[in-house]
Amino acid sequence: MRVIVNGKACIVPDNATPAQLRSQLGRELGKDQLLQETSHGTKALKDNDRLEDGATLWSIPPIVKGEVPERLRDELKLLERAAGGRSKIILGTKTVDNRRYWAVLVKNVRLSCQKFRTTKTDMLFLLPEEYPRLPPVGCYLNYKWPTADHHFTLQSHYDAPFLGREGWYWYCVGLGGGFNQKGWAHRWRPGTQANNGHNLATLFVAARHAINSE
């Protein structure tokens, strides 16, 4: 039977499970959580669930929900409006090298077909502990092929965690101080409230503009 994984068609055995799909795709899925599109949104799949023929599946970083600060909840509402109805926003936490980040996943983000080999991708932000005082320098794209854009290097810079083994590749947007608090901190100006200065929505809009502009 046939399923769609992150926009790519895959042929799997009848009654295959997520565990079998994970084994078949290997490093392409790694330890990512599998979500299935439904008429009501998405649902998380367990490794022993049965896949449905024609199902649309997404792999996301293994993130764990935590108590969300009120400021971050307010910013997520602004981000949802900025991203539009076609994009889903998923929030959780992710630990890399014993450091914990808020992980903000934006699905189905438009890409320029002149720069990339596809018209959409997923975008991931890892927010530093100092957020909102400092934003991340850039974002991660679920896209692994080289482009002519030198900001997209398939490597991480400015002390951003490397997530290439999990299918996430670094795009240096240059928005603020980022992970090592050097460089562009003067460009980022958050307000005392979520809606009166820079926030997740402006972070997303800036990143979307940067990855699509020449």
Side-chain angles (χ1 to χ4, degrees), residues 118-206:
T118 184
T119 58
K120 61 183 179 180
T121 188
D122 295 340
M123 181 182 293
L124 175 68
F125 295 102
L126 293 186
L127 306 184
E129 295 174 353
E130 300 85 359
Y131 189 85
R133 184 175 64 83
L134 287 177
V137 175
C139 62
Y140 296 88
L141 303 181
N142 187 217
Y143 182 92
K144 64 181 179 180
W145 297 277
T147 75
D149 190 333
H150 69 277
H151 295 287
F152 187 64
T153 64
L154 302 183
Q155 299 294 325
S156 61
H157 299 281
Y158 303 103
D159 294 343
F162 177 68
L163 302 180
R165 298 180 190 87
E166 302 176 39
W168 294 94
Y169 297 92
W170 177 254
Y171 192 101
C172 185
V173 181
L175 295 173
F179 294 92
N180 63 7
Q181 303 187 36
K182 298 178 182 177
W184 309 291
H186 63 282
R187 298 184 183 179
W188 179 255
R189 298 185 304 277
T192 56
Q193 302 295 322
N195 61 357
N196 67 359
H198 290 161
N199 51 45
L200 281 177
T202 58
L203 185 70
F204 166 74
V205 171

Side-chain angles (χ1 to χ4, degrees), residues 79-90:
L79 174 60
E80 288 175 351
R81 291 200 290 269
R86 295 182 59 187
S87 296
K88 291 182 174 65
I89 311 298
I90 301 173

